[in-house]
Amino acid sequence: MTFSYLKKHFLLPIVAMLVPAVAACFLYTPYWEMSFVAGFDFQPYRSTGETFIILFSDSWQYVWPVIVVSVLQVFGAAIIMSALDRHFRTGSLSLKSPVRLINISVFPIAIGVVVMSVTAIILRMLMFGLVSLVQVILGAMSAAPGAALAVIAALAIGLFILHTIVIIPMLMWAPIMFIYGYKFRDAAALSFKLISGKKLFWGLFLPMLICAGLQLLMGFLQVHAAIAYLVNFVVFLFTNAYVTVFTMIAFYDISDLDRRDIEPYKNLPLPHVTQKPEQQSEQPEESHAKKPQDRKKSKKSSSKTKVEPKEDDRVL
């Protein structure tokens, strides 16, 4: 469903995520949870400091690039998600009044991004501990040079799967908050009930796994810097656009909300009005003004003169 929507309406997500992707490709490396494996060079053991630098790159020393990329992504996601919500509700998709679009969903999205960033740091620290443990054990066993890399790659894939499972309910927080008006605590609780029994994992995991595999391949090939920046830009642009569109489409789908971009409003005929409102308002006054004698006369006259409706006047 996400690819089908992007095929028809790819321009708005691409435009909204263009600036964040340009900034991110120079300041950050996408899918570092997987692509760091290429930095081990088949060595069975490294020191703890070297492992930490490989896993965290320069982000632990220079926090501002991560903050800049995150802020730009929040604004881009706010534009896309608000515009898609308006498109789904009204059938109109446009970038008119972008400030208003940002204001609708920027704070719920920012809360979700902060929590997801903290979660990513925790998972990366867990990966750091597991990688260090594997290197110490295999180094003590005098294992083959490629054995450590194989085990670490398997751990990276397993942690990547865990990361995907963890962030799926977090992606639902923002639409629950700015569409339903829930507070953060209520949105976090409702998200688990909302995704329970829904098959959302593969729709998010498979495209992300392909992008992570591409980044891992670029790391092993040691391509030129210009090619690396270009690949990073494409991966960031696709990832940001896909995840935001996937979130809104999945939310509307599992919430059973009507989408007017698929089924437009139907011009239903107005119900047949037998009496004008003025006549309806005058009837109570006339009934109260009639005397009891007049009411008896009207009952007699109505009982004597019964007119059967014509065939054309009958209600079928």
Side-chain angles (χ1 to χ4, degrees), residues 165-177 180 182-198 200 251 254-255:
I165 296 174
V166 169
I167 67 171
I168 286 177
M170 297 180 183
L171 293 175
M172 299 296 140
W173 292 351
I176 292 174
M177 292 173 70
Y180 286 159
Y182 280 50
K183 294 182 179 179
F184 170 70
R185 182 183 301 177
D186 298 330
L190 181 61
S191 63
F192 293 99
K193 296 180 180 179
L194 194 64
I195 68 172
S196 178
K198 306 299 189 300
L200 301 178
F251 176 77
I254 64 180
S255 301

Side-chain angles (χ1 to χ4, degrees), residues 9-23:
H9 311 286
F10 67 92
L11 186 59
L12 189 145
I14 293 298
V15 172
M17 283 298 178
L18 194 60
V19 175
V22 171

Side-chain angles (χ1 to χ4, degrees), residues 8 131 237 242 261 307:
K8 298 178 181 178
V131 168
L237 186 62
Y242 181 86
D261 63 311
V307 181

Side-chain angles (χ1 to χ4, degrees), residues 63-86:
V63 184
W64 67 267
V66 180
I67 295 176
V68 170
V69 172
S70 300
V71 170
L72 292 175
Q73 288 177 342
V74 166
F75 282 107
I79 293 176
I80 295 175
M81 296 179 76
S82 299
L84 263 62
D85 178 48
R86 185 169 62 185

Side-chain angles (χ1 to χ4, degrees), residues 135-178:
Q135 290 183 105
V136 170
I137 293 175
L138 295 183
M141 294 172 60
S142 300
L149 184 65
V151 176
I152 290 170
L155 288 175
I157 295 174
L159 205 65
F160 186 70
I161 295 173
L162 177 63
H163 193 186
T164 306
I165 296 174
V166 169
I167 67 171
I168 286 177
M170 297 180 183
L171 293 175
M172 299 296 140
W173 292 351
I176 292 174
M177 292 173 70
F178 76 84

Side-chain angles (χ1 to χ4, degrees), residues 67-129:
I67 295 176
V68 170
V69 172
S70 300
V71 170
L72 292 175
Q73 288 177 342
V74 166
F75 282 107
I79 293 176
I80 295 175
M81 296 179 76
S82 299
L84 263 62
D85 178 48
R86 185 169 62 185
H87 187 206
F88 293 167
R89 287 187 293 106
T90 65
S92 175
L93 180 64
S94 65
L95 274 175
K96 293 181 180 179
S97 61
V99 176
R100 183 179 180 182
L101 292 176
I102 292 174
N103 190 38
I104 291 174
S105 59
V106 63
F107 292 107
I109 292 175
I111 294 173
V113 168
V114 170
V115 177
M116 284 188 283
S117 299
V118 174
T119 304
I121 293 173
I122 294 173
L123 291 177
R124 192 170 295 191
M125 290 296 297
L126 176 62
M127 188 68 194
F128 165 68

Side-chain angles (χ1 to χ4, degrees), residues 49-70:
E50 289 176 332
T51 304
F52 185 85
I53 293 175
I54 290 174
L55 275 168
F56 286 86
S57 186
D58 294 332
S59 59
W60 68 279
Q61 291 179 334
Y62 306 104
V63 184
W64 67 267
V66 180
I67 295 176
V68 170
V69 172
S70 300

